[in-house]
Amino acid sequence: MGQGYEEAGIAYCIPTYNHPQVMEDVLGKCLPLYQKYKIDVYVYDSSTDNKTCEITETFMEQGYQNLYYVRVNPSVGIDDKMLMIFSGHGLQKNYRYLWPVKDRAFFGERTLKKVTELAGEDYDAIFLTLALHPFLREEGFSTPKFFDSPAKLYVRWGWLATSMDATLFHVGKLLKDTDWEGFRERYFFDGENCFDHFSVLFHGLGQQEKCAVRLVTFDDIDSYVSPLGSSSWGPRIFHIWADMWPKVNEALPAVYDEYKNKVIRRGTSLPWILGSYDWLIKLMSEGLLNIDVYLQIGKEWESISDIPREELELIVCGQLAQVHRIVEGRVKDFIAAGRYQEASALYHCNRWIISNFRDDGENLGYADLLEIYDAEEAAGVRRGIFYGASCLADAEQKYLAVRQMVHGLEGSDGGDSGRKLAEFVRKNHVSSQCLCHVVDKTCMEKEKTMEKLLRVLQG
């Protein structure tokens, strides 16, 4: 960025390192659309070979004038590379917004159209709620689309701002006048940060009383990930999330102090970070979670995860049958208390430990109930599988009665069995999602049974 440069809208910046196949896949899929929406794409390549450079040059030769290549020394780590991007290194125009994105991610037309429309305004930042986990979608749908309070944005969406793809930064308002050496002194610990994009966003917003941040909400998100790419922080997960994440949050301006503990815990308690029993067991099986790691993080564990410390200890010690009993008991307790969404989230994020280490003959009937519940929630059904049930046994009895009658219909030509089923469906508010689940999961003649079911219910 500099004097005499052409004014432009969005610089889409991709830091990459030794991922030529990923870059070839992503550029091939995104460049035509990005060119259509006049988004310039910058590849910041610190690879140890020339493969990514050659791939990028091939696309340039195909006429993509919105594609630029910036060579970065392989010795430059990701944090320093990100500061190079934020400080405008290699940019050929004066851009209004800078959008850093992981090399394996790209966006479709719905998002590009919305983002380019909003980029014509003067927001401090444009924030994408991305393709949220199914259990977080309600949060995405219910969020305000505009935030003028840095603290309120932080407490509501700080955990998602850890995703590099989520934020478009207004260059003039958040980046241009930043003292990057001062930033490094404040937010780098032993030479690293790990959350540069998050730090830059909330550092910049925290310098002002009011902000102007526009959200792109779930209905306008059209995002993709190359199947050839994957996260590279797995082996360092406890260092990144149990050590660096709290430090970076604590270094933020005082305006966020009231909410820092909540945001730290929310970020690390996500099921794909440190908030899933299944994921912690996987880390233990891979040798990434062991007694040495436990001794390092144990004292601070309950400040960063919703999983109790004693249950983490059970995982480290391999007491998985006991973990199974605890998790399954908690799912059933949630159902008994009518906290169905929490029961569903806990079950779906921990299927492995729930499905294994069962006692002989142990019934997992609640699993079918939760599958049906999820389908009903997605369809907006108000009177679903748990409607009218005073306890788990009532809901299980309702499901078993439906299953028995559907099986009776499957083995008959309708008649009396069909009439009984239709009457039970009407009286007990049995949803179409429940019926479809029973047919799909338990019937042999699925298509024929569904045809009979439709005739019975329509008759």
Side-chain angles (χ1 to χ4, degrees):
M1 297 181 288
Q3 293 182 351
Y5 278 19
E6 175 187 350
E7 300 294 324
I10 299 172
Y12 184 96
C13 302
I14 309 173
T16 188
Y17 175 78
N18 285 347
H19 293 160
Q21 291 180 316
V22 176
M23 289 307 307
E24 185 172 26
D25 182 44
V26 168
L27 292 177
K29 291 172 178 174
C30 78
L31 280 175
L33 263 182
Y34 285 39
Q35 183 163 261
K36 174 182 175 181
Y37 285 93
K38 298 181 180 179
I39 294 174
D40 288 345
V41 178
Y42 285 81
V43 176
Y44 286 81
D45 177 30
S46 58
S47 301
T48 55
D49 57 37
N50 292 322
K51 293 179 180 178
T52 298
C53 178
E54 292 168 358
I55 287 167
T56 306
E57 288 177 347
T58 297
F59 281 107
M60 291 176 173
E61 291 167 0
Q62 293 173 8
Y64 290 108
Q65 297 181 358
N66 63 322
L67 178 60
Y68 299 86
Y69 178 83
V70 181
R71 180 61 180 166
V72 179
N73 192 297
S75 65
V76 176
I78 182 60
D79 291 312
D80 289 314
K81 191 192 299 187
M82 291 300 299
L83 291 197
M84 290 173 67
I85 291 172
F86 283 124
S87 63
H89 176 79
L91 297 182
Q92 299 300 305
K93 302 174 186 176
N94 284 325
Y95 292 96
R96 175 171 287 191
Y97 286 94
L98 192 149
W99 187 4
V101 181
K102 295 186 291 288
D103 63 4
R104 64 183 182 274
F106 58 101
F107 294 86
E109 187 154 17
R110 190 164 74 247
T111 299
L112 299 181
K113 182 179 180 181
K114 189 67 177 179
V115 162
T116 50
E117 287 175 0
L118 295 176
E121 305 296 330
D122 261 346
Y123 298 110
D124 294 326
I126 300 169
F127 187 80
L128 282 64
T129 57
L130 301 179
L132 295 175
H133 191 283
F135 306 118
L136 301 171
R137 285 180 182 172
E138 181 59 34
E139 188 166 3
F141 284 124
S142 63
T143 184
K145 290 189 177 182
F146 180 80
F147 283 83
D148 62 4
S149 164
K152 288 182 179 178
L153 177 71
Y154 172 74
V155 71
R156 183 69 181 264
W157 288 108
W159 61 274
L160 183 59
T162 59
S163 175
M164 187 187 296
D165 321 328
T167 308
L168 283 78
F169 299 80
H170 192 291
V171 173
K173 294 187 173 185
L174 289 183
L175 306 179
K176 185 178 179 181
D177 296 325
T178 300
D179 173 8
W180 294 111
E181 282 306 312
F183 179 91
R184 181 190 297 277
E185 290 178 11
R186 179 169 183 166
Y187 294 103
F188 276 51
F189 303 91
D190 294 324
E192 62 178 342
N193 174 282
C194 302
F195 298 95
D196 309 273
H197 41 288
F198 169 89
S199 308
V200 170
L201 175 64
F202 289 109
H203 172 78
L205 296 179
Q207 308 305 309
Q208 49 201 57
E209 272 189 44
K210 293 285 187 179
C211 67
V213 177
R214 178 62 158 84
L215 265 62
V216 178
T217 49
F218 186 77
D219 48 341
D220 283 316
I221 297 297
D222 189 14
S223 63
Y224 305 91
V225 176
S226 169
L228 303 178
S230 61
S231 173
S232 60
W233 50 252
R236 302 178 71 234
I237 184 169
F238 289 102
H239 171 66
I240 292 171
W241 288 99
D243 183 21
M244 297 300 297
W245 171 238
K247 286 179 179 177
V248 167
N249 276 272
E250 291 299 340
L252 290 172
V255 66
Y256 306 114
D257 282 355
E258 179 182 354
Y259 306 110
K260 286 177 180 177
N261 290 339
K262 182 176 182 178
V263 172
I264 290 169
R265 189 182 178 110
R266 179 72 194 279
T268 47
S269 291
L270 293 168
W272 55 90
I273 306 297
L274 298 177
S276 158
Y277 295 88
D278 277 7
W279 181 239
L280 291 173
I281 291 168
K282 183 176 186 295
L283 294 173
M284 184 266 291
S285 69
E286 294 176 351
L288 300 176
L289 173 58
N290 52 43
I291 190 63
D292 291 334
V293 172
Y294 173 76
L295 292 174
Q296 291 173 19
I297 66 175
K299 291 183 180 179
E300 305 299 329
W301 176 253
E302 292 188 349
S303 68
I304 61 172
S305 178
D306 291 335
I307 294 176
R309 178 181 173 180
E310 56 268 24
E311 294 169 19
L312 174 68
E313 185 174 344
L314 290 174
I315 293 173
V316 173
C317 295
Q319 302 295 313
L320 300 187
Q322 192 170 343
V323 175
H324 161 83
R325 290 190 289 272
I326 290 170
V327 177
E328 183 172 64
R330 197 164 290 142
V331 170
K332 291 179 177 179
D333 288 344
F334 280 146
I335 294 174
R339 296 161 64 179
Y340 306 123
Q341 191 170 34
E342 291 168 87
S344 177
L346 184 61
Y347 166 72
H348 284 288
C349 292
N350 298 285
R351 289 192 187 198
W352 187 88
I353 190 62
I354 289 175
S355 301
N356 289 278
F357 303 99
R358 287 182 290 153
D359 296 329
D360 291 341
E362 185 179 347
N363 179 24
L364 271 183
Y366 63 85
D368 287 300
L369 303 182
L370 292 174
E371 299 274 358
I372 294 165
Y373 169 80
D374 289 339
E376 291 171 340
E377 283 290 290
V381 174
R382 292 186 177 181
R383 296 180 174 182
I385 188 66
F386 292 111
Y387 180 76
S390 60
C391 60
L392 175 58
D394 286 350
E396 289 179 327
Q397 191 62 40
K398 177 179 177 180
Y399 171 75
L400 291 173
V402 172
R403 190 175 72 180
Q404 183 177 2
M405 285 187 276
V406 169
H407 289 175
L409 180 65
E410 182 180 22
S412 71
D413 58 357
D416 188 51
S417 61
R419 285 190 292 274
K420 287 182 178 178
L421 175 59
E423 182 179 0
F424 187 89
V425 166
R426 284 191 291 270
K427 285 186 176 180
N428 293 278
H429 304 284
V430 178
S431 69
S432 60
Q433 289 75 23
C434 178
L435 294 169
C436 287
H437 178 90
V438 170
V439 172
D440 184 55
K441 299 292 185 181
T442 69
C443 291
M444 299 292 291
E445 299 286 340
K446 302 183 191 305
E447 291 187 12
K448 290 183 179 179
T449 305
M450 188 61 74
E451 290 173 2
K452 291 180 183 179
L453 192 56
L454 289 172
R455 285 198 300 269
V456 164
L457 296 177
Q458 291 172 353

